[in-house]
Amino acid sequence: LLLLLLWLFVARMDLRQLDPELRRYLRVTRLPEVYEALLAGLAIMQPINPCKWIAEKLFYLQEVGISQIDWDSFIDEEMKPKESPFAIKGVTGLFGGDMGQFGKDIDAPSPEMISRAYQHYNRKSFRRHFDSWLQFHLYRRRRLVEKRRILAKADGHFFQTKVGQIFGTWLEWTRFRKGRQAMAYQILQRVLHVSVVRVMFKAWHGVSLEARKTREYFERELRRLERGDNVTEDEVLSKSTGEARDDLSLVSESLRQQILRHLSLADMSRAACVCRAWKAHTQSSELLHKLDFGQVRQHLTPLVAKKFLAQSGPMLGHLSLAGCRDLPLEVFQCIGACRNLQDVNLSECASLTDDAVGQIVQGCPLLIYVNLSFTGISDNSLRLVAKHAENVRFLSLASCQQLSDRGLQFLAQGQGVHKLELLDLSEGVQFSSDAIVHLASKCHKIKHLMFNDMYNMQSACLMEVASHCPSVEHYELFGCSSLTDDSFRAISNRSLRVLKLDKNDIITDAAFGHLGRRCPELHQLCVADCVRVTDQALKAIGQLRYIRVLNLADCVRLSDAGARASPRRRSPSRCASSTSPTPSASPTTE
Ligand SMILES: *[C@@H]1O[C@H](CO)[C@@H](O)[C@H](O)[C@H]1NC(C)=O
Ligand SMILES: *[C@@H]1O[C@H](CO)[C@@H](O)[C@H](O)[C@H]1NC(C)=O
Ligand SMILES: *[C@@H]1O[C@H](CO)[C@@H](O)[C@H](O)[C@H]1NC(C)=O
Ligand SMILES: *[C@@H]1O[C@H](CO)[C@@H](O)[C@H](O)[C@H]1NC(C)=O
């Protein structure tokens, strides 16, 4: 036990820090092994007398020598344990690892330790490697997932870009196709239009040709029936009969009509008596367009007039019955049936009544020219004219003694009064100034005004008329003897072209001053028999540059000197001067 304590004491001290001298001593003498062997023997054999046992053993050692010592050298064979009771290091371990030179290296690890360490190391390394591998694996997996995600995104982007490109191309193409289609549509439409028009035109052409043929056929038939025979046109013109071989029949239709147009109705009737062919010639529609009974009024009977009118019918455009004094109402009724009549001259038709006028204006809505001068019509006629003849532009009411102010009022209320361009109220002395002015105020477009022989026409009235009708170009004031210089001032305007008056003792040279200054367009001036006109007037007239007709007959104060001194002398060829009816007083222009 003491030894054990001693060993413990020794064990507790760090042998490695011992003096090297001592350590060498311990190594050479192998004392630690001796102690270990003793201790191991004591511990296992447990002798009753340890001191005696130790002494025995030390004697034995002295005999044997120290080199044969081992840790179990003092233990009996049957009690020898497998391992030293002093664990791995044992007593020898106390002296460090550098004792190998006298035994095996006590510091070297045992196989168990190595295997343990190896196992430990192996486990650790395995774990580390496994961890790294796991990390790496996870990392790769993450990389893979990320890569897939990016790839999917790229795919989507690529797809979208591609789709966008394709869509753009497609859009362009569609637009192009659309444009082409629109163009083609237009072309097709144009072609269709043209072909439709062509077809329509062809059809129309065919129809009109057909219509012409039909008309010609019926005209031919009509003529034949009128002649009362059964021969055809060809037979009429055939050589066998000898008819229609004259010069007139052989010239062309239009030329023949031009020739026949110069004949009066009487001559035409005579020509119609020559032969059947000539009769047919005189009855062409072109020749029936214009009928002038005025030239044949002595021979005209109601029956003939009616026959001509019925023949012309709708073809009649111009009709003159001037001077046909005793025509009955039936004739005027026949005129009413000519619905395309434009001009009708009824002047001096003494038998003309209001009824007759009514028949004519109701039947002929296209009337433009109506001459009712020198007839016995009353206000009622004017009412009918104003009501029905809305297109009348030229209206002559000269010398209609039965008319009164009421008639002019009717006229002023008419629908077409503003279209009136010519109004002839000559010799209408019965009309009051107010009625004339009222009518004139409605006629804005009037260009020709005729107030001949209205000796009672006052200056004030004419001035008012002139203020309402500024565009009058033509004034006829023959015999208006009470007009003054002022009224000439009023009618002097740029538009004035023709001015005619005579037998006026009031106007002076001042009137010509107005004309000279304000009527540059005046080209016809007739101032006959005005006694107060002097050479001064000639000077004023000299300013009128366009004057072509100048009548100063019977203006007795004019002198040769004045005529010669007139500032602008016209060449005789350009100025058609009017000669005075009395050769004695002819101081007129060249
Ligand atoms: C006219 O001719 C037709 C046939 O062309 C005939 O039937 C008729 O009898 C003739 N009339 C006269 C009056 O000759
Ligand atoms: C109407 O007859 C008269 C008298 O014959 C004539 O002066 C006048 O010029 C004729 N008018 C037309 C438009 O023919
Ligand atoms: C109307 O007839 C008369 C003759 O009766 C003629 O003097 C006058 O000039 C004619 N009117 C027109 C506007 O032609
Ligand atoms: C001349 O006529 C015009 C219309 O054409 C009118 O405005 C003007 O007042 C007239 N002048 C005179 C002096 O009457």
Side-chain angles (χ1 to χ4, degrees):
L1 193 64
L2 278 171
L3 275 171
L4 193 65
L5 283 173
L6 172 75
W7 177 77
L8 278 176
F9 167 71
V10 172
R12 282 196 55 183
M13 51 187 274
D14 196 348
L15 293 179
R16 286 162 202 250
Q17 291 168 2
L18 289 178
D19 179 22
E21 205 59 26
L22 177 59
R23 287 182 60 170
R24 208 173 38 163
Y25 171 76
L26 284 176
R27 211 181 295 150
V28 170
T29 55
R30 297 192 71 179
L31 283 179
E33 279 95 342
V34 174
Y35 278 122
E36 190 178 9
L38 285 176
L39 275 174
L42 280 172
I44 291 174
M45 300 299 287
Q46 293 171 0
I48 299 142
N49 193 348
C51 290
K52 195 180 159 209
W53 187 83
I54 290 170
E56 275 173 20
K57 291 306 174 192
L58 284 176
F59 281 125
Y60 171 69
L61 204 58
Q62 214 171 2
E63 284 171 21
V64 179
I66 213 161
S67 57
Q68 296 299 318
I69 195 100
D70 208 351
W71 70 276
D72 53 354
S73 297
F74 299 141
I75 303 168
D76 289 349
E77 235 10 78
E78 67 269 16
M79 292 183 71
K80 266 187 186 171
K82 274 185 184 152
E83 283 185 22
S84 163
F86 305 112
I88 303 158
K89 286 200 170 179
V91 179
T92 53
L94 291 173
F95 300 96
D98 47 353
M99 300 171 81
Q101 65 189 90
F102 55 83
K104 55 180 181 178
D105 191 351
I106 53 163
D107 228 9
S110 65
E112 299 89 49
M113 281 164 71
I114 288 175
S115 92
R116 241 144 137 215
Y118 173 74
Q119 273 173 13
H120 179 74
Y121 172 78
N122 209 14
R123 221 173 18 248
K124 256 190 129 174
S125 141
F126 175 78
R127 187 164 296 152
R128 209 174 54 237
H129 281 107
F130 182 76
D131 276 358
S132 317
W133 174 82
L134 202 66
Q135 292 289 335
F136 178 68
H137 180 71
L138 287 176
Y139 168 74
R140 268 186 57 184
R141 212 149 105 185
R142 273 204 309 277
R143 278 280 305 273
L144 203 68
V145 169
E146 184 75 1
K147 213 158 137 191
R148 279 201 194 126
R149 197 177 61 81
I150 288 173
L151 266 178
K153 208 168 150 187
D155 267 357
H157 183 72
F158 175 76
F159 178 74
Q160 274 192 353
T161 319
K162 205 83 191 162
V163 163
Q165 273 175 4
I166 290 171
F167 185 74
T169 316
W170 175 81
L171 207 66
E172 221 165 85
W173 183 78
T174 316
R175 277 202 202 113
F176 171 73
R177 291 285 307 181
K178 241 178 173 169
R180 285 283 299 269
Q181 270 179 4
M183 224 157 69
Y185 179 72
Q186 271 181 2
I187 291 172
L188 278 179
Q189 228 177 10
R190 210 175 308 144
V191 168
L192 180 76
H193 181 73
V194 167
S195 50
V196 163
V197 165
R198 205 168 278 164
V199 166
M200 273 164 59
F201 186 77
K202 226 178 214 169
W204 171 82
H205 187 66
V207 167
S208 58
L209 276 183
E210 196 83 352
R212 202 163 102 185
K213 251 188 222 159
T214 314
R215 202 189 69 190
E216 280 171 358
Y217 171 78
F218 277 110
E219 274 180 1
R220 223 168 32 228
E221 287 298 306
L222 199 69
R223 269 181 236 153
R224 211 181 60 196
L225 283 179
E226 275 167 3
R227 284 198 297 271
D229 56 29
N230 225 356
V231 284
T232 61
E233 192 90 349
D234 298 342
E235 284 168 315
V236 168
L237 297 171
S238 71
K239 290 168 188 161
S240 59
T241 60
E243 271 190 77
R245 301 292 297 152
D246 56 283
D247 290 342
L248 188 67
S249 302
L250 289 176
V251 298
S252 73
E253 173 89 15
S254 62
L255 192 53
R256 187 161 57 231
Q257 277 170 11
Q258 235 166 356
I259 294 167
L260 291 175
R261 208 170 285 152
H262 291 285
L263 299 186
S264 70
L265 272 185
D267 291 338
M268 195 86 87
S269 305
R270 279 182 208 113
C273 296
V274 171
C275 65
R276 287 184 295 192
W278 280 41
K279 191 180 179 193
H281 298 331
T282 58
Q283 287 170 353
S284 75
S285 57
E286 279 75 13
L287 292 174
L288 295 176
H289 181 57
K290 190 171 180 178
L291 287 181
D292 189 356
F293 293 121
Q295 296 167 329
V296 293
R297 53 178 174 258
Q298 296 89 355
H299 314 291
L300 190 71
T301 63
L303 197 68
V304 172
K306 271 159 68 177
K307 201 176 161 195
F308 269 106
L309 288 171
Q311 203 176 38
S312 299
M315 285 176 271
L316 187 61
H318 307 268
L319 174 68
S320 174
L321 286 170
C324 303
R325 308 199 127 268
D326 41 11
L327 291 175
L329 184 61
E330 299 104 78
V331 176
F332 299 114
Q333 274 170 347
C334 287
I335 298 174
C338 305
R339 59 179 191 281
N340 291 323
L341 194 61
Q342 290 174 7
D343 293 1
V344 64
N345 195 343
L346 298 169
S347 82
E348 296 174 56
C349 287
S351 60
L352 190 70
T353 60
D354 293 343
D355 268 357
V357 173
Q359 296 280 348
I360 294 171
V361 294
Q362 281 173 40
C364 313
L366 304 181
L367 277 177
I368 290 175
Y369 171 93
V370 180
N371 195 341
L372 296 170
S373 56
F374 300 98
T375 55
I377 56 165
S378 73
D379 296 333
N380 210 21
S381 285
L382 289 191
R383 188 176 63 79
L384 293 167
V385 168
K387 189 173 168 194
H388 298 290
E390 287 184 4
N391 295 312
V392 170
R393 302 254 173 86
F394 306 91
L395 182 61
S396 178
L397 301 171
S399 198
C400 293
Q401 305 297 337
Q402 308 290 319
L403 294 180
S404 71
D405 287 352
R406 260 189 82 213
L408 296 190
Q409 272 169 16
F410 287 139
L411 212 54
Q413 287 160 11
Q415 291 291 317
V417 64
H418 61 275
K419 294 182 191 163
L420 221 48
E421 284 179 24
L422 181 148
L423 183 63
D424 188 356
L425 294 178
S426 302
E427 291 185 45
V429 289
Q430 72 276 28
F431 300 129
S432 73
S433 294
D434 287 346
I436 293 173
V437 170
H438 178 60
L439 178 59
S441 70
K442 299 289 173 75
C443 309
H444 310 295
K445 289 189 187 164
I446 200 130
K447 291 205 176 94
H448 298 248
L449 270 177
M450 292 152 184
F451 297 130
N452 298 329
D453 294 318
M454 292 171 73
Y455 51 81
N456 57 346
M457 168 73 91
Q458 296 302 312
S459 281
C461 173
L462 187 63
M463 282 159 78
E464 280 208 57
V465 168
S467 73
H468 287 303
C469 313
S471 47
V472 177
E473 295 170 3
H474 186 124
Y475 273 109
E476 273 188 35
L477 302 166
F478 288 121
C480 297
S481 47
S482 38
L483 296 180
T484 64
D485 290 343
D486 283 345
S487 56
F488 281 85
R489 212 179 98 98
I491 64 174
S492 302
N493 202 334
R494 282 197 80 79
S495 51
L496 190 65
R497 280 169 177 72
V498 178
L499 177 61
K500 296 179 179 175
L501 76 153
D502 65 353
K503 299 196 186 88
N504 189 314
D505 303 343
I506 302 173
I507 58 162
T508 65
D509 298 333
F512 294 90
H514 298 315
L515 292 177
R517 273 197 308 278
R518 301 166 71 167
C519 309
E521 306 282 328
L522 196 69
H523 59 71
Q524 194 172 343
L525 181 61
C526 175
V527 196
D529 203 3
C530 298
V531 292
R532 296 179 69 175
V533 177
T534 69
D535 288 347
Q536 204 62 24
L538 284 180
K539 258 189 198 165
I541 291 166
Q543 298 167 359
L544 300 169
R545 299 181 51 215
Y546 299 109
I547 203 95
R548 287 207 299 271
V549 179
L550 178 61
N551 186 350
L552 295 168
D554 292 330
C555 297
V556 292
R557 292 211 195 171
L558 298 182
S559 69
D560 289 347
R564 249 180 259 120
S566 148
R568 258 177 221 239
R569 296 165 64 90
R570 305 253 141 224
S571 69
S573 63
R574 287 191 57 199
C575 188
S577 64
S578 148
T579 51
S580 159
T582 49
S584 59
S586 56
T588 54
T589 64
E590 303 95 354

